[in-house]
Amino acid sequence: MEQFNVKGMSCAACSARVEKAVMGVEGVTECSVNLLTGSMSVEGTANAEAIIEAVEKAGYGISEHGSDVINEDMSEDAADKETAALFKRLVSSIVFLVLLMYLSMGHTMFGLPLPAFLENNPVIIGVLQMLLSLAVMIINRKFFTNGFKGLIHRSPNMDTLVSLGSGSAFVYSVYALVRMMLSSDPKAYLHEFYFESAAMILALITVGKMLESRSKGKTTDALKSLMKLAPKTATLIVSGKETKVSIDKVRVGDIFAVRPGESIPVDGIVVKGSSSVNESALTGESLPVDKKEGSGVSAATVNLSGYMECRASRVGKDTTLSQIIKMVSDAAATKAPIAKIADKVSGVFVPVVIAIAIITSFVWLTVGQSIGFALARGISVLVISCPCALGLATPVAIMVGSGMGAKNGILFKTASALEYMGKIKTVILDKTGTVTRGNPEVTDIVPADGFTEKELLTLAYSLEIKSEHPLAKAIVKKANEDGISSADSTDFEIFSGNGLKGTVDGKVIFGGNGKFISEKADIGENMRDIADSLADKGKTPLFFACDGKLCGIIAVADVIKDDSTEAVLQLKKMGIHVVMLTGDNKKTAEAVGRQAGVDEIIAGVLPDGKENVVKAFCDKGVTAMVGDGINDAPALTRADVGIAIGAGTDVAIDAADVVLVNSSLMDVPAAIRLGRATLRNIKQNLFWAFIYNVIGIPLAAGCFISLLGWEMNPMFGALAMSLSSFCVVTNALRLNFVNIRKSKG
C-alpha cells in the first residue's frame, strides 16, 4: 500500500473526484482518500508517477508520504495551521463587513447617521458598498480560486457553491449599481443591492471552516499525544562510557542506560539491573510493570525506580510506539464500508445542487417574481448545501474512535475493522494463550503413601530437569519457586509419547502417563480416581514411580487467565454468542470452557479446520476470532474481524485486524463497545448530514413560501451551512467520553 498526501480538497466532492481519477489509472486496484487527514492510500501495481499525474490532472496537489511512521514534527498538522490562517481571514473580513453592514443596513434600514457628503448620494453609497464587498471577496479569494478551478476541471466542490453564491450576489448588485447610475431616481435601487450578502456569505462560511478546522485538530489529539511521547535522545554506553546521542543514532544491538524518571528511548532487552516501568502510555494499564534481566522494554515507557542497561532490539519505525502510531494513522487513512453511502452521494452532490439553484431561479422568474427575489432563492440553495458534512461524517468518527482505542491499548488497523466491531454477533476464542495463560503450571501435588510433597517434587524435578517438554518445564518452574534443589540423574531416557526414565541417587525413577507408569508400579484404585478427577477438571496428571513403587501424582494445567471468566460474562451480557475453539482433547476443552462460561465448545480442531469453523460462523453473521499463535493466523484472516492478543506471535498480529496490547480478554468487550459507539456515531452523523440537506435545500429554494410563509435569507443559509460540518465533527468528539470499560453491555 502506498501513501500520499493530497492538497486542495475542500469537501467530500473533492475526495470523490480524486478517488475516481486514481481508480482510472491502470494497475490501481483500490484507492481510499481521507478528507479529514488529506491522506490517500493506494493499492495495486501502478507506479507513483502515474498516480501523481492523475491527481494533478484532476486539479489537486499531491506528494508522496515522506515516512513510514509519523513523528512529532508532523503532529503540528495542517489543521492547526489552517485554523490560524482562517482566524486572520475572519478578523480582516469582519472589519470590512462591519463598515459594509453599517452602510447597507444601518443607514438604509435603521436611519443611522452618515457623513454629510454621503447623506444624499446613493450612488457613492453603492460604490462604497461594492468596494467593501470586493475587499472581503479578495481576502477570501481562496474560495473563488478553488471553486472555479473545480469547475474548470469538471469537479465542482463546496468552494464552487460558495463562490457561485457570493459571486452571483455581487454581479447582480453591480448590475443594480449600473442601473442606479443611469436612473433618474437612484434611491429606488438602494434595496436592490446584495453586496452585504456576497460578503456575509464568505465571512460566515469562514467561521464554519474555522470551527471545523479546530474540531478536526481535536480529532487527532490521541495521535499527537503519542507522537510527543517519542524520546529525542538516548544515553549509549560505548567502551564503558556514557554518551548522549540523538535518537536516530541508536542502532540495533547498542547498549543504552536508563535512569529513574527517564523515558526508555527504543525497544530493548534488559541486560543489567532491574526496575519498575510505567507502560500506561502504550497499554493504558496504570499499574507499573517489574523489569529484570531478560525482560523486554518499549520506547516511550518511563523507568520509575532502578537503573537499567538495555540492548536495543527495535529502533526507528520498528519500535512498538511507531507501530502503534502507524496503525492509528493507517486506520484513519482507510474507509469504513458505511462511508460508501456518503461517497456515492458526494460524487454527484455539487453538480445536482448547482442544477437545482439554476432551476429554482428560473422557476421563480417564470412565475413572475423579480430578478432579485429569484436570485436570492438560487443563492440560498447554493450556500445552504453542504457536502462537507457528508464527507466528514465517517472519517472524523473513525479517527476519534481509533485514537480512543489507542489510548486504551486497543489498536485498529483499518476503519472497516472498527466498523465491524460494532456489528459482531459471534466471538470465537482460541483456548491456549487466549482464554488460558499459555504456560502450563503445576496445580496439584498428590504424594502416595510413604512420600511427602517435597520428596515427590524433588524426585520429579531431578528427572524432568533434563526434558524440554512444556509439562516438564512447569515442574521445573514449581521446584525453583519452592527453592528445591535437584539431584544428578543418570541413564536419562525418553519414551516418546509416554514418559521418562532416569537414575537418581542409585534409584530408578519413572515419570509419565498412567498407562506407562502402571507397567512400572501399582497405581491403585484410589490414585486412579484422583487422576480421573484431575483430568475432568482439565488438568494433566503425571505419575511418578521410584524403584517399582508409586511416588505420587503431579497435576499440570494451562490455567485460565484471571479475567477470562469476567470477559466472557460481559460478552454474553452484550448479546454475543461466545465459542471456544481448540485443538486440545474434548475433556480438557470442556473443563476450561465450563470455567470460562462460554456458550459453545469446539475441540480437537487442527489449524486448517479452525479456518473452516470460522468461515461457517461468518456465513451466519459478523464473527470475530481472537487468537495468539501461528496456528491461529489462517482463522484470524478468515474472520470478519481478526483480534490478536498483543503478547502473541508476530504472525498472528500481522494477520489480525485488531491488536490487544494488554493481552487481556477484557479488551475484547471493550473493543466491541467502542465499535458499537463509533458505528452509532457514524449513523448519527450521516443522518444529520442527509436530513440537513433534505430539509435545507427545499427551504432555501422557497418550497415552503406559499404553504407556510417560510423564506430563507441567503445569509442564514450560509450560517446554517457553516454550522453543519462543525456539528458533525463535534458530535464525533463525544466518543472521547464513552466509557468502554463499563461492566454492562
Side-chain angles (χ1 to χ4, degrees), residues 375-694:
L375 186 63
R377 303 287 71 72
I379 292 170
S380 295
V381 169
L382 289 172
V383 298
I384 199 171
S385 308
C386 190
C388 268
L390 287 170
L392 291 170
T394 301
V396 290
I398 293 294
M399 176 65 93
V400 177
S402 299
M404 184 72 171
K407 284 181 181 177
N408 287 274
I410 303 167
L411 305 179
F412 297 93
K413 290 186 179 180
T414 62
S416 59
L418 184 52
E419 178 184 335
Y420 278 125
M421 283 301 289
K423 300 177 178 178
I424 286 173
K425 302 298 181 187
T426 302
V427 170
I428 300 175
L429 307 172
D430 173 53
K431 181 180 79 70
T432 307
T434 303
V435 176
T436 63
R437 293 178 182 172
N439 297 309
E441 297 179 8
V442 172
T443 58
D444 301 86
I445 301 176
V446 185
D449 292 339
F451 293 88
T452 64
E453 286 190 11
K454 185 176 181 180
E455 289 172 338
L456 172 59
L457 187 55
T458 301
L459 286 171
Y461 178 33
S462 301
L463 180 64
E464 300 283 7
I465 194 171
K466 291 188 176 181
S467 173
E468 291 298 319
H469 196 280
L471 299 182
K473 291 181 179 179
I475 292 175
V476 172
K477 179 184 175 185
K478 175 64 175 174
N480 288 333
E481 289 173 352
D482 290 0
I484 291 175
S485 301
S486 67
D488 289 334
S489 63
T490 58
D491 302 326
F492 183 76
E493 189 176 354
I494 298 174
F495 298 87
S496 182
N498 288 301
L500 307 170
K501 174 193 173 185
T503 301
V504 179
D505 294 333
K507 299 174 182 178
V508 179
I509 310 296
F510 286 94
N513 59 43
K515 183 180 179 182
F516 177 66
I517 297 300
S518 65
E519 298 172 358
K520 315 299 178 185
D522 180 25
I523 293 178
E525 287 301 318
N526 183 48
M527 294 300 277
R528 287 185 187 278
D529 290 342
I530 292 173
D532 289 341
S533 175
L534 292 169
D536 287 338
K537 295 176 182 176
K539 302 173 183 180
T540 302
L542 300 176
F543 295 80
F544 293 89
C546 175
D547 285 342
K549 185 179 179 181
L550 184 69
C551 303
I553 299 171
I554 296 179
V556 178
D558 184 6
V559 297
I560 193 169
K561 289 180 181 177
D562 297 335
D563 56 6
S564 291
T565 303
E566 177 61 24
V568 171
L569 180 62
Q570 289 193 22
L571 288 170
K572 290 167 73 172
K573 283 183 178 178
M574 296 165 74
I576 292 170
H577 183 68
V578 185
V579 180
M580 191 180 78
L581 182 62
T582 179
D584 253 348
N585 65 75
K586 188 175 181 181
K587 183 176 281 189
T588 301
E590 286 179 346
V592 174
R594 280 196 302 271
Q595 274 186 280
V598 299
D599 295 309
E600 187 176 347
I601 301 164
I602 302 175
V605 183
L606 296 175
D608 57 341
K610 285 186 177 182
E611 183 184 4
N612 293 331
V613 170
V614 171
K615 182 179 182 299
F617 276 102
C618 288
D619 292 339
K620 299 175 185 176
V622 181
T623 300
M625 170 71 192
V626 188
D628 73 321
I630 291 174
N631 63 332
D632 297 323
L636 290 170
T637 305
R638 169 64 66 182
D640 295 309
V641 183
I643 304 174
I645 296 294
T649 65
D650 289 341
V651 175
I653 291 172
D654 289 343
D657 306 297
V658 182
V659 179
L660 307 181
V661 177
N662 296 327
S663 302
S664 170
L665 263 191
M666 289 294 287
D667 284 343
V668 176
I672 292 173
R673 286 192 195 96
L674 181 57
R676 288 180 176 181
T678 303
L679 186 58
R680 186 164 56 247
N681 194 280
I682 291 171
K683 288 178 179 177
Q684 290 169 353
N685 285 346
L686 286 173
F687 171 79
W688 288 115
F690 275 117
I691 205 72
Y692 161 81
N693 285 294
V694 167

Side-chain angles (χ1 to χ4, degrees), residues 1 63 118 128 147 162 195 337:
M1 180 187 291
S63 61
L118 290 176
L128 284 175
V162 175
F195 288 122

Side-chain angles (χ1 to χ4, degrees), residues 286-331:
S286 58
L287 294 176
V289 180
D290 292 332
K291 302 291 182 180
K292 58 184 180 180
E293 289 185 23
S295 299
V297 293
S298 299
T301 58
V302 180
N303 181 18
L304 296 179
S305 52
Y307 171 85
M308 294 189 297
E309 291 181 9
C310 311
R311 180 183 293 107
S313 59
R314 291 192 290 189
V315 301
K317 66 181 182 181
D318 296 322
T319 64
T320 304
L321 174 66
S322 294
Q323 291 298 315
I324 289 173
I325 293 172
K326 188 173 188 301
M327 282 187 191
V328 177
S329 178
D330 285 351

Side-chain angles (χ1 to χ4, degrees), residues 64-127:
E64 288 190 72
H65 208 297
S67 171
D68 289 331
V69 61
I70 301 173
N71 54 44
E72 187 191 1
D73 295 334
M74 295 172 68
S75 69
E76 299 302 323
D77 59 11
D80 294 336
K81 295 175 185 175
E82 183 76 4
T83 301
L86 287 168
F87 181 74
K88 289 179 182 177
R89 273 169 53 184
L90 179 62
V91 171
S92 303
S93 299
I94 288 174
V95 171
F96 290 102
L97 187 60
V98 168
L99 295 173
L100 175 58
M101 295 300 288
Y102 188 93
L103 278 175
S104 64
M105 300 180 74
H107 173 67
T108 57
M109 293 178 66
F110 303 108
L112 296 179
L114 288 175
F117 75 95
L118 290 176
E119 277 287 353
N120 296 304
N121 201 332
V123 173
I124 296 298
I125 292 175
V127 170

